Amino acid sequence: LFSYGLPPSNKMVFLPSRGILVPLLIGLIAIYIRYITHQVLMDTKYYQLWNNEEWHIDQFSRPSFPIRFINAHHHGSTSSNSIVLSLMRKLVVNPALDKVVTLMEQADTENIVPKILCNPDARSNLSKRVEEFYTDIQNSQSLTYMGKVLLYATSYMSLTNHYGLLTLGMKEEVQRQTVEAPVFIASLPRTGSTILHRTMSLDTTRFRNFDLADMVVPLPKPIPRWDKEGRHEKAKEADGLINSIKLIYPGQLECLETMHGFRPSEADEDLGWYDTGLGHPYMDPLMKLYPEYRQKEEKVQGVSDGTIESKDVARYRYAWLAMIMKVYQYTDEVEWNERKQNEGRAFLRQHARPSMDLPWLMKDPNHSAYLPELLEEFPDAKLIFTHRNPGEIIPSLAKLFVVFTAPDVIPGAVGSSAKEWGEETVKRMNHYSGGLVDFTMAQNNESSLYSFPSSGTSRIDLSFVDVRRDVQGAIGKIYEQLYPDQPLTSNKATRAFKKYLEQNEREKHGNQRRSLEDFHLSKEDVAFREYNDMFLN
């Protein structure tokens, strides 16, 4: 175009005129857009084919067209992804990490928060985990370009929240708080524990709890448990943030609702707080990055090496959870006194004085693998277990994993097939059920308060069948055994239970098809005889 083959000695260069250059550039851009659009359409067809053959997701959702366009543009390119992630690491994540580590050093020097949260080991392990999270994302062969970018961005959010929450926890008045007799629903996943937890949390004269909104937007300051208006506004703020997901993943929230609803104003699992403590999401490395995670076999052996599923990290997580509880207990008291003083009788007319010593009602299936570590931090805890045959749990749990990860996974990549997800879910169930079996055997040998079967006030075991059939009846049994000296369900709580259960009937939002065969598993693969013999037979 520029020399037209003229001899090198000729100094004249022929440049295309503006009349030629502009159409040329427009034509090149049009060709590029057409090519990428074609790739997006082909990609969509391939995803649908993979879903039909492997995932079988009803209401299958895909990222928005701009996200798919970007993914198609970078498909197969590792250099561009590495550049973006490296820039994020240098300009965003590492400065946030340095800020958190500096604050941890200050906390260690001031000797206010528990040493496990800020000592040199804690600082070193936090830095290692954040760096490992980055490395695993970089090395992932299964995540899309934007899947990697968006996942790594969560590390910055976690570190930012860590800094703010640790700052709140570094008050002597906070650390003087005591967490008494918290209640933990520590069942295996997919055993009716969510509906049980969310229903029980409505009994606000007996328990206090964390909503999903508290974990999604914990800052700039916590909201008191008694402040209904404040919690409503916090839920609206979190709802806006969660709904922004629809711009990136239209239809994904509705699809997830068929398995597990994310509702800002309702009680949710404790693992949201682990994200703020660890410097990155807790469950995402176990789902979206599980192929990389499984390559490091020492991580799943319970070794004390600071990795995410080690018992040392479990102790750290529970110490962090206890600090969060204390922060909110302190907030309950201080906010009440300040508003009573500032607003006077008008405030008292609208707000009855709340009980400041209500126990926390918590829930997370991961507790089942770390019950000794849980009781180290909360020695007077009350434990609730709902039991279900793991052979029925596994296809449901595997389908949840698939639904949650599918929008960011490349079909056909390592770890994306139904067979691989079946194998991974069996490993995860062994982790959960093995922890619960080992804990119970040890407690039985010691004839402790947590022995099974239990008729005491520290532990109760229920069947999934009974919970599913009658949630209110199951709650009545829990109250009767764990709180024999307290009145049974109040009329106000009973009405709240009934209304909530009517609004959240089972499978109201649909239900994903799943079976062992879908994940290439047989009944023998999911026998779990030791667990079934102990709790179900």
Side-chain angles (χ1 to χ4, degrees), residues 9-26:
S9 59
N10 194 321
K11 302 297 183 181
M12 186 181 300
V13 176
F14 289 92
L15 294 175
S17 68
R18 182 177 299 177
I20 297 175
L21 186 60
V22 172
L24 177 63
L25 290 175
I26 292 175

Side-chain angles (χ1 to χ4, degrees), residues 184-257:
F184 290 92
I185 302 176
S187 315
L188 303 184
R190 317 303 293 170
T191 58
S193 56
T194 295
I195 191 68
L196 183 64
H197 180 217
R198 290 178 176 175
T199 307
M200 288 178 66
S201 71
L202 300 175
D203 193 346
T204 54
T205 61
R206 189 181 294 267
F207 303 112
R208 50 182 154 190
N209 68 279
F210 294 113
D211 300 330
L212 177 61
D214 298 313
M215 298 174 240
V216 173
V217 280
L219 302 175
K221 68 175 185 177
I223 303 299
R225 303 298 81 193
W226 48 262
D227 186 356
K228 294 181 180 179
E229 296 84 358
R231 291 175 75 174
H232 178 70
E233 290 302 313
K234 178 69 76 172
K236 286 172 61 178
E237 182 183 356
D239 195 47
L241 186 61
I242 292 173
N243 280 330
S244 66
I245 295 174
K246 294 180 179 180
L247 299 176
I248 303 173
Y249 302 109
Q252 176 65 356
L253 291 177
E254 291 78 7
C255 186
L256 283 170
E257 188 71 40

Side-chain angles (χ1 to χ4, degrees), residues 47-48 50-62 251-252 254-256 258-259 398-407 409 416 421 511-514 518-519:
Y47 265 90
Q48 196 59 56
W50 190 260
N51 184 50
N52 293 340
E53 294 182 354
E54 291 286 336
W55 295 336
H56 307 297
I57 301 174
D58 296 325
Q59 303 180 39
F60 180 56
S61 66
R62 295 285 294 115
Q252 176 65 356
E254 291 78 7
C255 186
L256 283 170
T258 63
M259 298 295 294
K399 195 57 173 279
L400 176 62
F401 290 157
V402 168
V403 169
F404 187 83
T405 59
V409 170
S416 66
W421 270 118
N511 200 0
Q512 293 286 338
R513 298 166 294 161
R514 64 266 190 158
D518 288 342
F519 296 97

Side-chain angles (χ1 to χ4, degrees), residues 194-385:
T194 295
I195 191 68
L196 183 64
H197 180 217
R198 290 178 176 175
T199 307
M200 288 178 66
S201 71
L202 300 175
D203 193 346
T204 54
T205 61
R206 189 181 294 267
F207 303 112
R208 50 182 154 190
N209 68 279
F210 294 113
D211 300 330
L212 177 61
D214 298 313
M215 298 174 240
V216 173
V217 280
L219 302 175
K221 68 175 185 177
I223 303 299
R225 303 298 81 193
W226 48 262
D227 186 356
K228 294 181 180 179
E229 296 84 358
R231 291 175 75 174
H232 178 70
E233 290 302 313
K234 178 69 76 172
K236 286 172 61 178
E237 182 183 356
D239 195 47
L241 186 61
I242 292 173
N243 280 330
S244 66
I245 295 174
K246 294 180 179 180
L247 299 176
I248 303 173
Y249 302 109
Q252 176 65 356
L253 291 177
E254 291 78 7
C255 186
L256 283 170
E257 188 71 40
T258 63
M259 298 295 294
H260 181 90
F262 292 86
R263 303 167 191 168
S265 62
E266 297 184 15
D268 211 83
E269 296 179 353
D270 311 345
L271 57 86
W273 288 122
Y274 309 157
D275 299 353
T276 63
L278 295 171
H280 63 72
Y282 177 67
M283 283 302 296
D284 286 53
L286 308 179
M287 294 190 295
K288 293 184 177 181
L289 297 171
Y290 89 83
E292 289 69 34
Y293 181 80
R294 289 301 180 192
Q295 289 177 3
K296 308 177 184 70
E297 286 299 323
E298 71 274 10
K299 284 186 176 181
V300 293
Q301 301 301 321
V303 294
S304 299
D305 60 357
T307 49
I308 194 170
E309 283 199 300
S310 71
K311 296 187 182 300
D312 278 354
V313 170
R315 294 184 182 94
Y316 172 86
R317 288 192 287 107
Y318 291 137
W320 179 262
L321 188 60
M323 186 196 77
I324 299 296
M325 292 174 174
K326 292 178 180 180
V327 166
Y328 275 79
Q329 289 178 191
Y330 173 74
T331 301
D332 279 356
E333 295 179 5
V334 170
E335 287 284 324
W336 173 267
N337 291 330
E338 287 184 356
R339 290 184 62 179
K340 182 181 69 172
Q341 182 176 355
N342 294 335
E343 300 177 33
R345 292 183 179 180
F347 174 74
L348 293 175
R349 282 196 297 268
Q350 295 178 3
H351 300 84
R353 178 172 176 79
S355 174
M356 298 297 180
D357 58 355
L358 294 178
W360 289 98
L361 177 64
M362 313 295 288
K363 177 251 179 180
D364 179 15
N366 291 282
H367 294 323
S368 60
Y370 303 101
L371 291 164
E373 291 72 35
L374 179 70
L375 292 179
E376 282 181 28
E377 185 64 43
F378 306 103
D380 59 348
K382 297 179 184 291
L383 303 179
I384 300 173
F385 300 102

Side-chain angles (χ1 to χ4, degrees), residues 132-171:
E132 191 173 68
F133 186 58
Y134 165 79
T135 303
D136 285 349
I137 293 174
Q138 279 273 38
N139 295 336
S140 175
Q141 300 299 309
S142 57
L143 289 182
T144 63
Y145 176 85
M146 285 303 296
K148 290 184 177 184
V149 170
L150 293 171
L151 181 57
Y152 191 45
T154 60
S155 186
Y156 170 74
M157 296 168 61
S158 298
L159 289 167
T160 301
N161 288 332
H162 185 119
Y163 184 89
L165 291 166
L166 182 57
T167 300
L168 294 172
M170 289 170 58
K171 296 179 180 178

Side-chain angles (χ1 to χ4, degrees), residues 93-113:
V93 175
N94 278 355
L97 175 61
D98 292 342
K99 189 176 178 182
V100 168
V101 171
T102 300
L103 185 65
M104 293 170 73
E105 291 175 350
Q106 179 185 337
D108 194 17
T109 302
E110 294 179 359
N111 201 27
I112 296 176
V113 302

